[in-house]
Amino acid sequence: MHVLVGILIALHLIGWAISLGALLATMKQPRVLSGVLHGLYLALATGLAVTGIGGAQGWDLNYVKLGIKLVIAVVVLALGIVGKNQPERVTKGWLGGMAGLIVVNVFLAVLWSGES
């Protein structure tokens, strides 16, 4: 199980990195690329999988932290979906907001005390 969780966490971080990199790469011509959504789906799915495994294994999870991270992830995903479907709405501020929320989510994961 330890190897599986490690692989899922690595994929989770890769998903965030793909999304953040693609957002920053398109700042000059603001648009939401398909790769952004793919990275967001990967990050969300693997985050939920790790949390589900942790809950099933009886880990001491910080559900407040996980809930906040989930809300941020869903907001970023919603912005990505709307931006992909309505490209005329996407601005540098839109992409900056998405990128900022991704960075906040990663910092919460790393800096919020606790094992979860």
Side-chain angles (χ1 to χ4, degrees), residues 36-53:
V36 171
L37 293 180
H38 293 193
L40 293 173
Y41 291 134
L42 178 62
L44 184 59
T46 54
L48 290 172
V50 170
T51 301
I53 290 170

Side-chain angles (χ1 to χ4, degrees), residues 60-82:
D60 183 26
L61 298 175
N62 182 340
Y63 289 105
V64 172
K65 172 185 167 180
L66 294 172
I68 292 169
K69 287 178 55 52
L70 177 61
V71 167
I72 293 171
V74 169
V75 168
V76 174
L77 180 60
L79 288 169
I81 292 170
V82 170

Side-chain angles (χ1 to χ4, degrees), residues 73-116:
V74 169
V75 168
V76 174
L77 180 60
L79 288 169
I81 292 170
V82 170
K84 182 69 177 163
N85 292 333
Q86 299 175 11
E88 67 278 0
R89 295 180 70 178
V90 178
T91 63
K92 290 181 183 180
W94 185 289
L95 297 182
M98 288 178 68
L101 287 171
I102 289 172
V103 169
V104 166
N105 216 0
V106 171
F107 272 87
L108 283 176
V110 174
L111 298 178
W112 194 330
S113 63
E115 290 294 320
S116 54

